[in-house]
Amino acid sequence: MNPDATLLRVLNVSARYGSIPVLRRVSFHVRTGEIVALIGANGAGKSTLLKVVSGMHPATDGEVLFAGEAIQGGAPERIVRKGLVQVPEARQLFPSLTVMENLELGGYVHGRRYVREHTEQWFELFPALAARRRQRAGTLSGGEQQMLSLARALMAKPKLLVLDEPSLGLAPLIVAEIYRNLAALRQQGLTILLVEQNALGALQLADRGYALEAGRVLLAGSAAELLQHDDIRRAYLGKDYRHKWEK
Ligand code: ATP
């Protein structure tokens, strides 16, 4: 695959819940090998945008192109098979199944043999899960559950891994570990689209970012540009960050 190729292109996408518009002509793109962050306050429409991309919520207008092919309106399972795989917000594991069983389910679309041959590989990236492979997912800590959710998505062989708020509710040390895992996956060639309210963490990890407000793209740029942008610093990065930055 051409490393400069655009893997995901979202063009003028609008969406609504009933009669209420939530996304208004949103456009953005993700190139192969990049980490792109979508940031924005609670309710800006970030999760809805990911749901539209993954086929879980219909767009009322616009286009979603994945590897050059229009995918909007496609069934979520077909979109997963094409390699666009989402780690959902709040993890959505099967709590009464074991770590191993949850992982196996992530790869089932590719058949039993694939599952047998690929499960162990993700235990290397997440050693905490390896020690708990027979433990029920519901008994894991929040950080371990997030790692399992990530590993389960990786079992589906993503070309583009899409994450909704991977740092939600986790302690800073665990968030740092998850971000290190994502950086390692990027090193291995994976392309990542990340939604975060944790704008600072997401922009420190990402190559580029988009800030969403009230269903629109307000700003777009390299992560470094956004980290220095006055509006972003004021709106999302908080007083402490400004202080540190200006020292
Ligand atoms: P959060 O970080 O809280 O998830 P977000 O930026 O991801 O915020 P969305 O979850 O996409 O935002 O929500 C955008 C708007 O759509 C909000 O006003 C929200 O209340 C509304 N909304 C989200 N889901 C639904 C739904 N199932 N039915 C009706 N309205 C919804």
Side-chain angles (χ1 to χ4, degrees):
M1 200 182 288
N2 173 1
D4 295 327
T6 299
L7 185 57
L8 177 72
R9 184 174 291 282
V10 171
L11 275 174
N12 295 322
V13 157
S14 299
R16 48 179 64 233
Y17 290 106
S19 61
I20 301 169
V22 173
L23 297 175
R24 302 151 204 263
R25 300 181 66 78
V26 172
S27 297
F28 72 94
H29 66 278
V30 183
R31 294 189 203 100
T32 301
E34 279 189 315
I35 298 185
V36 170
L38 302 175
I39 59 169
N42 213 325
K46 305 178 301 297
S47 296
T48 305
L49 186 51
L50 292 193
K51 284 182 190 148
V52 168
V53 165
S54 311
M56 291 184 282
H57 189 78
T60 50
D61 211 351
E63 257 189 308
V64 180
L65 297 167
F66 183 60
E69 187 186 340
I71 56 167
Q72 76 273 16
E77 188 181 308
R78 287 195 56 201
I79 294 176
V80 168
R81 279 181 195 275
K82 288 179 196 299
L84 194 161
V85 181
Q86 183 168 344
V87 181
E89 194 177 0
R91 291 137 213 164
Q92 296 176 16
L93 295 165
F94 296 97
S96 58
L97 299 186
T98 65
V99 165
M100 194 72 169
E101 288 163 343
N102 270 278
L103 268 187
E104 287 168 356
L105 280 172
Y108 86 96
V109 288
H110 301 299
R112 277 168 189 269
R113 181 160 173 203
Y114 170 83
V115 167
R116 229 182 6 254
E117 289 173 358
H118 290 83
T119 319
E120 287 301 318
Q121 130 188 31
W122 299 117
F123 286 134
E124 283 168 32
L125 187 67
F126 304 104
L129 297 180
R132 292 173 166 71
R133 65 182 78 199
R134 287 182 224 300
Q135 197 170 316
R136 284 172 197 259
T139 65
L140 299 176
S141 70
E144 289 159 354
Q145 289 193 12
Q146 183 61 66
M147 285 173 204
L148 178 54
S149 184
L150 187 52
R152 183 182 60 179
L154 291 165
M155 280 293 291
K157 267 209 280 196
K159 293 190 181 98
L160 175 67
L161 183 71
V162 178
L163 295 108
D164 195 351
E165 303 258 6
S167 69
L168 193 71
L170 300 180
L173 270 178
I174 308 289
V175 173
E177 191 179 341
I178 285 170
Y179 281 7
R180 271 199 304 279
N181 291 144
L182 296 179
L185 289 163
R186 187 232 326 248
Q187 285 292 324
Q188 292 171 24
L190 188 64
T191 309
I192 296 173
L193 172 64
L194 177 76
V195 152
E196 272 289 9
Q197 278 188 50
N198 171 9
L200 175 58
L203 290 175
Q204 284 174 335
L205 174 73
D207 300 295
R208 291 189 305 111
Y210 296 82
L212 246 70
E213 194 174 281
R216 289 195 168 86
V217 173
L218 197 66
L219 283 169
S222 72
E225 282 163 0
L226 292 180
L227 278 168
Q228 291 182 58
H229 198 288
D230 278 345
D231 292 349
I232 299 285
R233 290 161 67 189
R234 226 183 345 261
Y236 306 118
L237 302 182
K239 208 161 137 256
D240 290 348
Y241 178 68
R242 262 204 313 276
H243 179 64
K244 237 189 300 179
W245 188 266
E246 283 160 5
K247 260 204 279 204

